[in-house]
Amino acid sequence: MDLPLDHLRTLAAAVDAGTLERAAAQLGVTPSAVSQRIRAIEQRVGRVVLQRTKPVRATEAGEALVRLARQLALLEHDARVALGADSPAQRIPLAVNADSLITWFMPALSAVAAERSVTFELHREDQERTAQLLEDGTVMGAVTSQRAPVAGCIASPLGRMRYVAVAERGFAERWFGDGLTRAALEAAPIVDFDRHDTLQSRFSSRHGARASAPRHVISASAEYAEGVRMGLGWGMLLPGQFEPGLADGSLVQLADDTVEVPLWWQRWNLSSPLLDLVTDAVQTAARTSPALV
C-alpha cells in the first residue's frame, strides 16, 4: 500500500486542528487540497479514515494512520539530528495524570528541553485513561496505571503514588464523630477530582460503604486539595498536600491505611533516540522524586 507522506501528514494535521480549514491554514494549502488528500487515502485503503464531525475525528483505521504519520515525523527528526541538518523543534505529545504533573513530572520535560529542540504538548488525563491516548495515536508516551502494554508500545514501572484519606477537622467532627462507620461514609460529602476518579470510592468500599455519598467534582489539583482543606468534603490527598494541615491541626487523617496507585510509563515501541531520551528523563524524575514510593 503506497501512502504518500504528505497525505499522512495532512490527515494528522486535520485531526490535530479539528477542522479541514484550520489544517489547511497550518499546512499552507487550500481546504480543497486537504479534502482531496484525505479522500485519496480513503480510496487507497478502502476505508473511511476521518469522521467529518465537529471537530473531525479519526476512525479506527484513521487512528492507525495518524499514529504512523507521527512516528514517521519522529524518525525523520531523529535522522536530521543524526545528519547534523537543521530541524524544526520536534513536537512531543505526552499524556500524564494531574498529580504526577504537579509533583514529579515537570523536571523530566526540563531535562529533555535542555538537550534537544523540542516542544511539549501535555494531555492531562486520569491515569486510568491515559493509555487510550496512546492507542489512538494522540500521544507518543503516557504515565498510566495500566501495566499491560498498549499494542505497539512498551511499558516500564515508575513507582506508586500513595494517597491518604483526609478531612478538615470541623468536617470530621461533624460527619465522623462516631468513627469511620459505614453510615458515615455513605452520608459524608466526598470531593472527587473528576467523574472518573475512583480513589474515594475504593477507600469507602474498603471500609464497608455500599452506597454512594454526595460528591463535589473539582478538576484542578490545587483547588481540589483546597476544597478538602475548606471542608467541602473529605478526599484522598498526597503527603505534600495534607502534612502541613496535620501539623497545624486543621486537618485530620481518617484512617491509617492508604490507597496506592502503581504508575507505569508506556511509549511507542520505536527505535528513536529522542523517545529514548524522553523515557530516560521520565524514569530519572520518577526515581528521584519523594512523591513516588
Side-chain angles (χ1 to χ4, degrees):
M1 185 184 302
D2 182 19
L3 295 172
L5 183 55
D6 62 334
H7 286 33
L8 291 172
R9 287 172 174 163
T10 300
L11 175 61
V15 172
D16 289 338
T19 69
L20 302 189
E21 291 74 17
R22 284 200 291 266
Q26 294 173 7
L27 296 170
V29 299
T30 65
S32 176
V34 170
S35 182
Q36 289 173 9
R37 291 176 184 178
I38 293 173
R39 282 201 300 271
I41 292 176
E42 292 176 332
Q43 290 172 356
R44 288 173 183 267
V45 302
R47 301 182 188 181
V48 174
V49 300
L50 194 70
Q51 298 175 353
R52 272 67 168 181
T53 54
K54 291 187 178 181
V56 297
R57 297 181 183 277
T59 64
E60 184 176 352
E63 288 174 356
L65 296 178
V66 168
R67 185 165 57 249
L68 173 61
R70 290 173 176 155
Q71 290 175 345
L72 290 173
L74 177 62
L75 293 175
E76 181 181 2
H77 173 85
D78 285 335
R80 286 179 175 273
V81 171
L83 293 172
D86 291 336
S87 178
Q90 174 63 34
R91 169 179 166 271
I92 303 179
L94 303 172
V96 59
N97 60 306
D99 286 336
S100 292
L101 192 58
I102 66 168
T103 53
W104 65 269
F105 193 77
M106 293 300 291
L109 306 186
S110 178
V112 175
E115 294 193 36
R116 296 284 287 271
S117 177
V118 296
T119 59
F120 292 102
E121 179 181 319
L122 296 184
H123 297 257
R124 191 191 69 181
E125 186 58 88
D126 184 85
Q127 63 271 3
E128 297 180 1
R129 296 169 57 83
T130 49
Q132 175 60 39
L133 298 178
L134 272 173
E135 291 181 11
D136 64 21
T138 300
V139 301
M140 62 177 64
V143 176
T144 175
S145 60
Q146 180 174 319
R147 178 177 183 174
V150 171
C153 296
I154 53 177
S156 55
L158 294 172
R160 303 184 308 278
M161 301 201 86
R162 180 173 293 165
Y163 294 86
V164 176
V166 174
E168 186 268 335
R169 180 169 294 279
F171 179 95
E173 291 173 351
R174 174 186 176 187
W175 292 98
F176 300 109
D178 295 327
L180 204 65
T181 65
R182 172 181 172 180
L185 285 169
E186 292 177 349
I190 290 172
V191 183
D192 277 345
F193 183 79
D194 58 29
R195 299 190 183 279
H196 306 290
D197 183 3
T198 63
L199 290 176
Q200 288 69 227
S201 296
R202 289 164 59 184
F203 179 86
S204 294
S205 297
R206 180 189 297 172
H207 288 269
R210 297 293 179 265
S212 296
R215 296 169 186 270
H216 303 284
V217 177
I218 305 178
S219 300
S221 295
E223 288 76 7
Y224 174 90
E226 186 62 19
V228 174
R229 286 192 289 264
M230 292 178 63
L232 283 177
W234 68 271
M236 307 299 294
L237 298 182
L238 296 166
Q241 295 174 309
F242 69 80
E243 287 171 342
L246 292 185
D248 64 24
S250 61
L251 296 177
V252 296
Q253 185 172 331
L254 298 180
D256 292 333
D257 60 311
T258 63
V259 174
E260 293 189 353
V261 177
L263 295 180
W264 296 76
W265 170 248
Q266 294 211 32
R267 51 160 283 190
W268 290 341
N269 187 10
L270 197 67
S271 179
S272 163
L274 178 54
L275 196 48
D276 290 344
L277 178 63
V278 173
T279 296
D280 290 343
V282 169
Q283 292 175 334
T284 298
R287 186 171 59 251
T288 57
S289 172
L292 293 172
V293 296

